[in-house]
Amino acid sequence: MATKRRSAREQHRQAVASYVAAGGEETVQRAITALYAVTKRLDQWYTRQLADATSVAPSSMTHRLDKMAARGLIERRPDPANRTRTLVSLTHDGWELFSHAIRESNVVESDTLRNLDDNERVELARLLEVVLTGLDETGEGTTTHRVAPT
């Protein structure tokens, strides 16, 4: 018998409940788990789009760049500061393709936030930017462990 796939909301609720049961603070777990789930879903969508657009596995960067160069989408040039590196930049056609991809992504991202009005989106962005600042202050996102006194 096939099992019914749980909704994103149900998966979130169950993940939060697990973290809280293990000792996590509920408000922290709700925010971080939701943020992770949104990021994961969008990343999966971007990966599928990239694979579809390039017809190449994401692990084959050199091959992908070769194909893009052959299509006139990128230019390569030696890095004058480091002879072992090659700098890659978009051509005009590459920029046009990138812009098209961004517009398509914006549709998906807008759908992701469709249940928020403009003011809520602004507030969400502001709050996440505060979180990002906190990551910078803790050393590029490294974890700081605090031990409660006994």
Side-chain angles (χ1 to χ4, degrees), residues 25-41:
E25 183 183 326
E26 183 176 3
T27 58
V28 170
Q29 295 310 317
R30 285 180 60 207
I32 296 300
T33 303
L35 183 60
Y36 173 74
V38 169
T39 302
K40 182 179 174 185
R41 290 277 179 98

Side-chain angles (χ1 to χ4, degrees), residues 116-125:
L116 301 177
D117 65 31
D118 287 343
N119 290 334
E120 291 169 327
R121 290 178 188 188
V122 167
E123 182 64 5
L124 176 61

Side-chain angles (χ1 to χ4, degrees), residues 37-108:
V38 169
T39 302
K40 182 179 174 185
R41 290 277 179 98
L42 288 174
D43 190 47
Q44 289 169 344
W45 184 86
Y46 298 140
T47 299
R48 280 193 312 272
Q49 293 303 102
L50 178 62
D52 291 346
T54 62
S55 301
V56 177
S59 62
S60 181
M61 180 59 75
T62 300
H63 181 66
R64 186 179 314 131
L65 290 174
D66 288 343
K67 289 179 79 171
M68 292 175 73
R71 291 176 56 195
L73 300 175
I74 63 165
E75 293 176 341
R76 291 177 169 144
R77 59 183 172 25
D79 183 347
N82 182 341
R83 292 178 16 170
T84 64
R85 293 190 328 200
T86 300
L87 300 176
V88 178
S89 59
L90 291 173
T91 63
H92 174 75
D93 288 346
W95 181 257
E96 290 297 317
L97 182 61
F98 174 71
S99 295
H100 177 74
I102 293 301
R103 288 188 300 274
E104 284 187 22
S105 295
N106 194 60
V107 170
V108 171

Side-chain angles (χ1 to χ4, degrees), residues 1-7 11:
M1 183 171 181
T3 58
K4 182 179 175 186
R5 184 174 179 196
R6 293 179 296 153
S7 70
Q11 290 174 26

